[in-house]
Amino acid sequence: MNPNKVTRENLRKLTDLPNIGKAGAQDLNLLGIQQPAQFIDTT
């Protein structure tokens, strides 16, 4: 998916992120990341 066509409101699954497929999503799950919202810095 083209990163310019991604809208943050529509990101529900990790595979909705640009350049993240099934394998990348599985790797992120192993690191404890299940949702795209977990990438937002809240500090």
Side-chain angles (χ1 to χ4, degrees):
M1 178 180 293
N2 183 334
N4 294 329
K5 295 183 179 182
V6 174
T7 55
R8 291 182 183 205
E9 296 81 26
N10 294 333
L11 296 176
R12 307 266 186 255
K13 307 178 288 186
L14 291 172
T15 52
D16 292 337
L17 294 166
N19 302 316
I20 301 293
K22 281 180 146 183
Q26 288 174 344
D27 290 343
L28 290 169
N29 282 324
L30 289 174
L31 294 171
I33 300 170
Q34 283 82 35
Q35 303 174 26
Q38 290 178 270
F39 285 110
I40 298 172
D41 184 17
T42 59
T43 59

